[in-house]
């Protein structure tokens, strides 16, 4: 039975949104009224990005124009490429993106909120470029051309990473995870972005702040932590034993549980199906069975379910994506939801400034420094 959570603003309504419902009865997750399963099965990430950022699904001409616009915005200013080369190769790529977005705010600042859609589109188009330019430079010494002609963000990402056009299944799987990650109501990173926006700050500050919030393992960082957990075990039996031991020691199992969902995360079944498809494709006989074993123990022992991050981990792994790029992929997707929230906050703005219950000492007498 679901328990009532307290603390951490659990259950507190902190504003209104037209963008998304999370865990409402009969509609596990919807973006602007569209069920996530319809979007995952039928839409492309670009259609979902347009839906979130422009308020409705595009027709064919609008979608074609939007894709062409995103392709045209994939390039990085030379000074940003220099910054990416100066960031150490062993930096965490989430820090790279945080810095990259912040730097872009210096060389291409948002001067006018009327141009907010262009700022958002630039970020959607060039976040994968930033990430892969930095990654390839420091991994292979290559200064890659980020202006690929691939007509999807997913294909753009994979072709910059692997230097070849991805297979259709691989492109589709990455595209689907981008759809699933795009928006999620007042989660920690989105709320961070809205708090920053509410001061009438700029889009780059809001997105850089949101990236900082997403980085932590209790939020977006969970997909990397889940992969590290899954890779610890060489068989389903070892995973079953290992997770029991971890639970006995009251350790947190990454990729399980959720603040809002109580019995399942609707995104999980889609990720799990893709993970199985890709496991079969690459001939995996360990990681998928290990994942299923972990999922079973967590449900049997704790009634905790896999969240979106758990099977996303093996989806990315089977796509040949290094683990440290997992959470940055989340950024490349969620930037659409964040930017849509920035615009929504601006449209009905009120400074966000809650109150706190004071728990410190009562009024104290001032003591000169030699009497303390
Ligand atoms: N592994 C083990 N126990 C877990 C757990 C997990 N992944 N998630 C929750 N629990 C336990 C908590 O320890 C707590 O037990 P207690 O009541 O005995 O103290 C209980 O379940 C309730 O969890 P709580 O931490 O109060 O829930 P929350 O809403 O504050 O936290 C998360 C939600 C997502 C932060 C939490 O489930 C978590 O840390 N999960 C792992 C990280 C993760 O996957 N994050 C991505 C979220 S999409």
């Amino acid at each position: 039975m679901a328990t009532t959570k307290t603390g951490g603003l659990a259950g507190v309504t902190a504003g209104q949104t037209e963008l998304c419902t999370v865990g409402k009865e009969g509609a596990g997750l919807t973006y602007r009224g569209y069920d996530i399963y319809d979007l995952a099965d039928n839409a492309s990430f670009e259609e979902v990005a347009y839906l979130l950022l422009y308020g409705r699904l595009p027709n064919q001409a609008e979608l074609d124009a939007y894709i062409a616009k995103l392709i045209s915005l994939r390039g990085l200013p030379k000074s940003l490429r220099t910054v990416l080369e100066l960031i150490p190769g062993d930096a965490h790529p989430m820090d790279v993106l945080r810095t990259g977005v912040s730097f872009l705010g210096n060389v291409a600042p948002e001067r006018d909120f009327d141009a907010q859609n262009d700022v958002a589109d630039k970020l959607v188009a060039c976040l994968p470029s930033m990430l892969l330019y930095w990654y390839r430079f420091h991994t292979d010494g290559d200064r890659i051309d980020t202006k690929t002609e691939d007509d999807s963000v997913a294909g753009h990402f994979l072709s910059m990473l692997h230097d070849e056009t991805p297979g259709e299944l691989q492109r589709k799987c990455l595209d689907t995870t981008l759809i699933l990650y795009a928006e999620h109501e007042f989660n920690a990173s989105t709320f961070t972005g809205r708090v920053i926006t509410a001061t009438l700050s700029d889009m780059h500050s809001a997105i850089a702040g949101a990236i900082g919030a997403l980085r932590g393992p209790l939020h977006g960082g969970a997909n990397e932590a889940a992969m590290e957990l899954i890779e610890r075990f060489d068989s389903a039996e070892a995973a079953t034993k290992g997770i029991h031991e971890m639970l006995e020691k009251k350790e947190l199992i990454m990729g399980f549980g959720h603040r809002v969902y109580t019995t399942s995360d609707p995104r999980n079944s889609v990720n799990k199906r893709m993970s199985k498809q890709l496991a079969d494709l690459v001939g995996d006989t360990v990681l998928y069975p290990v994942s299923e074993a972990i999922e079973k123990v967590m449900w049997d022992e704790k009634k905790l379910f896999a969240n979106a991050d758990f099977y996303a981990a093996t989806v990315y792994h089977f796509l040949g994506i290094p683990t440290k790029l997992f959470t940055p992929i989340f950024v490349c997707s969620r930037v659409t939801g964040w930017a849509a929230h920035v615009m929504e906050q601006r449209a009905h703005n009120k400074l966000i400034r809650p109150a706190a219950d004071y728990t410190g000492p009562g009024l104290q007498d001032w003591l000169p420094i030699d009497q303390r």
Side-chain angles (χ1 to χ4, degrees), residues 146-202:
T146 61
K147 287 180 255 161
T148 77
E149 286 304 314
D150 200 294
D151 64 1
S152 66
V153 172
H156 174 55
F157 186 99
L158 289 173
S159 53
M160 284 189 296
L161 178 62
H162 296 313
D163 256 349
E164 60 184 21
T165 307
E168 188 43 35
L169 176 65
Q170 286 85 346
R171 195 201 55 76
K172 177 67 191 146
C173 286
L174 182 57
D175 189 80
T176 304
T177 68
L178 295 178
I179 292 172
L180 299 177
Y181 270 146
E183 166 51 13
H184 219 226
E185 201 220 41
F186 278 21
N187 59 85
S189 56
T190 301
F191 194 62
T192 302
R194 286 191 79 127
V195 170
I196 293 171
T197 302
T199 68
L200 297 183
S201 187
D202 65 303

Side-chain angles (χ1 to χ4, degrees), residues 28 121 156 201 246 258 333 357:
D121 291 342
H156 174 55
S201 187
M246 287 177 76
H258 200 270
S333 160
D357 289 328

Side-chain angles (χ1 to χ4, degrees), residues 16 22 36-37 40 49 65 74 84 92 127 144 170 181 201 217 231:
Q16 297 183 326
V22 173
I36 190 70
Y37 292 129
R74 282 178 183 162
L84 294 170
H92 193 285
L127 274 163
I144 58 165
Q170 286 85 346
Y181 270 146
S201 187
E231 280 183 313

Side-chain angles (χ1 to χ4, degrees), residues 5 217-219 222 252-259 304 307 309:
K5 296 190 183 187
L218 295 191
H219 193 6
L252 208 53
I253 312 298
M254 292 315 203
F256 286 85
H258 200 270
R259 171 57 64 80
L304 281 172
N307 58 47
D309 291 319

